[in-house]
Amino acid sequence: MKKGSINTFIFTLKFGRPYAGSLLLVSLLNLIAVSADLSFLYLLKKLIDTGFTSQHISLLQRMVLYALGILILRSILVYSSGYLSTYINRLMTNNIQNTLYSKIQTLSLDFHTENSTGNILTLIYYHTDEMLKLITSMSGTLAKELFRIPALILFLFYLHHELTLFSLLVLPPAFFSVRLFKNRITRTTQKSYDVLSKLYTKTERTLSHMETIKTFDKEREEIEYFKNLNDEMLSRSIQVYKASALSGPVIQMLKMLGITILVFLGTLEVSNGDLSMGGLTTFLASTYYFYGGLSSITDWYLSLIASLVSAEKVIDVLKTEPSILSPTNGKILDKFENEIILKDISFRYPSSKTNVLKKISFCIKKGKTLAITGPSGSGKSTLIKLLLRLYDPFNGTILVDGHTHTDINLSSLRKLYGVAPQDPGIFQDSIAEAISYGKLLPLDEIQKAAKIAGAHDFIIQLSKGYDSLIGERSVKLSGGEKQRLSLARAILLNPEILILDEALSSIDAPMEKAILQRISFHRRNKTTILISHRLKSITHSDCIILIEQGSILHEGSHQKLMTDSNRYREWYETFV
C-alpha cells in the first residue's frame, strides 16, 4: 500500500479501539474454529488409515463421534463469531456515523455550500459502513486466515515435504494477479462512488421539488435523467465487479491446476509406498483448505481497496477544520448594551472572485430599527451572514459593544440574534414544536409569539391547532404561513437583535404592516434589523441604508433620503 493508504488504514483502525476486547474475542473464536478444522483433517487421516475392519470398529465409532463433535463445535463457533462480528460492525458504524454527523454540524457554512446534500448523505450512510468493514474483516477473515494458512502449511509439511513445496508454487502467480488488478479496482471504485453521490444528490433534489417538476411538466425529463444516471451507476458497478472478479477465476484456475497435479503426484507416492491413502486424502483436503484460505485473503485484500477509498472520503471530512472557529476563552456577551460597528467591510464568497461587499461601514444602535434595502444581489443578506459570523470578512472589522467579532464566543454572539429568513426552513414537527424549535416552553408563550407574527389565527383553524403536524418540507402550509411561523420562532427567542431578512415577502402589504406594528410595540427599546424591497414597510425605521452593487449609496431616515437621495426617491416613487 502507498503511504497515504497506510495512514488511512491506521486512522480507520482507531475506531476499533473501544471494541478491541470484542474484536479479540471474534479472532479467538475464529482461531478455535480453524483448530477444529485442523483436528478434523487429522482425524480424517487416522480414520482412513485405520481401515474399515471389524477389529477396529469400536475405534472407528469413537473417531466418527469425535469428528461429529468437532463439526458441531465448529458450526457453533462460526455462528458465534459471525453474529458478534456483525453486532460490533453495527456498533462501530453507529459510532462513526454519530461522529461524522457531529463533525458536519460543526463545520462552517462554506463546507455545506460546496458539498451537495446527496454527497453528505452518501458519506454518512454508505461510506461509513464500507469503511468499517475493514476493521471487522480483520478480526474475522484476516485473523482466521493468517492463523489457518501457516498452520495448514506446517500440517502439509508434516504429511509430505515434497508435495507441500509443489503446492506452494501457486503463491507467486496468485500474488501477481492481485497486484495486477489492484490499480484498476481503485480507479473503478472511485468513479462508481462519484456517480453514487450524484445519484443521491439528484434523488434528494427532485423529491424536494416535486411541485416545481409537475408545474413545468418535467416528469419525463426527470425520469430520463435519473434513468441515465442510474444506468451509469450500473455500468460503474459492473466495472468494479469485473475488475475485482477477474482475480477470482485466476486464483480458482491455479487452485484446480494445483490440486489436479497433486492428485497425480500423490497417487505416485501412494503406489511407491511413500504416502498412505489416508495421508493423500488428508493432504488433498488440507491443500484445498489452504487454497481456499488464499482465495479468502485475496478477496479480503480487494475489498480492502474499496474500504480504503470510502475511508479516505470519511477521514477527509473528519480532518476538515471549520473556517469559522469560536475563540478560546472568547468573550461571553449576555446582552447587547450599546452598538455594533462595521468598519470598511469587504467580502467575497470562497468560491467567487468577485467582491459582494465593498468597504461597507455603518453603525447599529441599541433600541433602534435599522432597515437595509437595495436591488437583489446587492449584498443585503450577506451582511446578515457576517453579523452572525457565518462567514468572516476578508477586510475590515466588526465590533460588538467594543469587542472585535472574532474575540467573542461564537455561541454567545449568535444568541444575541433571532433571524426570520426569506426561506423559512420549517422542520417537520407539530406547529408548536416548529415554533419552539427544540425548546420545552409553555404553550401560552408560543401562542403569544404566534399572535405577534400573525400566525395564531390560521393555526387555530387547523384540525389540531398547535398540535397539527406539518408535512414534509411544510407542504401543508402556504408560503406566507411558513414565513409567519418562522417569524414566530424568531420572536419567541426574545433576542437582543431581531433580524427580518425579507421575512414577510410572501405576505400581503396590509398584514405585513400590522405585523410590523405589533413587533414595534412588543420590542420597545430593542434592536430590529429589517431587510426588505417594500420601501413602504421600512419608512418608520430610525435609519435606512441603501445598498447597490455591494456599496452603500446613502443612509439616513426616510425623510432625509427622500430629500437627499435621488436614487432612493426614484425607488420609492416607483414601488410605492
Side-chain angles (χ1 to χ4, degrees), residues 342-358:
L342 289 82
K343 292 182 179 178
D344 296 324
I345 296 296
S346 295
F347 175 77
R348 62 173 171 265
Y349 287 100
S351 58
S352 174
K353 296 181 180 179
T354 305
N355 286 358
V356 180
L357 299 174
K358 306 163 189 173

Side-chain angles (χ1 to χ4, degrees), residues 307-319:
S307 295
L308 287 175
V309 173
S310 289
E312 285 173 3
K313 291 179 177 294
V314 174
I315 292 169
D316 281 346
V317 175
L318 292 176
K319 288 186 174 181

Side-chain angles (χ1 to χ4, degrees), residues 408-419:
I408 302 170
N409 176 274
L410 193 57
S411 178
S412 87
L413 172 69
R414 290 176 181 168
K415 284 179 180 177
L416 294 177
Y417 300 95
V419 184

Side-chain angles (χ1 to χ4, degrees), residues 249-320:
V250 173
I251 299 296
Q252 188 70 15
M253 181 186 69
L254 292 171
K255 180 168 69 174
M256 297 313 296
L257 180 63
I259 290 291
T260 302
I261 296 175
L262 285 171
V263 168
F264 172 73
L265 296 176
T267 303
L268 292 179
E269 292 296 295
V270 171
S271 63
N272 293 334
D274 295 328
L275 186 65
S276 67
M277 182 56 69
L280 175 61
T281 305
T282 305
F283 186 92
L284 293 175
S286 300
T287 304
Y288 190 83
Y289 269 115
F290 168 53
Y291 288 162
L294 289 180
S295 296
S296 296
I297 285 287
T298 301
D299 293 340
W300 175 84
Y301 181 72
L302 296 178
S303 67
L304 169 68
I305 296 170
S307 295
L308 287 175
V309 173
S310 289
E312 285 173 3
K313 291 179 177 294
V314 174
I315 292 169
D316 281 346
V317 175
L318 292 176
K319 288 186 174 181
T320 300

Side-chain angles (χ1 to χ4, degrees), residues 366-378:
K366 178 180 173 60
K368 302 295 183 182
T369 297
L370 172 73
I372 303 173
T373 190
S376 298
S378 57

Side-chain angles (χ1 to χ4, degrees), residues 139-199:
S139 63
T141 302
L142 185 63
K144 179 172 67 178
E145 300 306 339
L146 288 181
F147 177 76
R148 180 167 74 164
I149 290 173
L152 282 169
I153 291 174
L154 291 175
F155 186 60
L156 288 171
F157 271 115
Y158 163 75
L159 293 172
H160 200 287
H161 290 72
E162 290 78 6
L163 290 179
T164 302
L165 290 173
F166 183 86
S167 69
L168 296 177
L169 292 178
V170 301
L171 293 178
F175 290 143
F176 175 76
S177 68
V178 172
R179 184 73 180 174
L180 185 66
F181 300 126
K182 173 181 173 292
N183 292 334
R184 185 177 177 183
I185 291 171
T186 303
R187 283 195 311 273
T188 54
T189 300
Q190 179 64 62
K191 290 177 180 178
S192 73
Y193 286 166
D194 290 342
V195 177
L196 180 64
S197 177
K198 291 179 183 177
L199 194 60

Side-chain angles (χ1 to χ4, degrees), residues 22-23 25-26 29 79-89 136:
S22 298
L23 291 168
L25 179 58
V26 171
L29 291 172
Y79 170 79
S80 300
S81 66
Y83 174 82
L84 185 58
S85 179
T86 302
Y87 179 70
I88 295 168
N89 182 266
T136 50

Side-chain angles (χ1 to χ4, degrees), residues 203-213 472-473:
T203 304
E204 188 273 333
R205 286 178 179 173
T206 52
L207 294 178
S208 299
H209 297 89
M210 286 306 299
E211 185 176 341
T212 303
I213 293 169
E472 189 172 358
R473 294 175 298 281

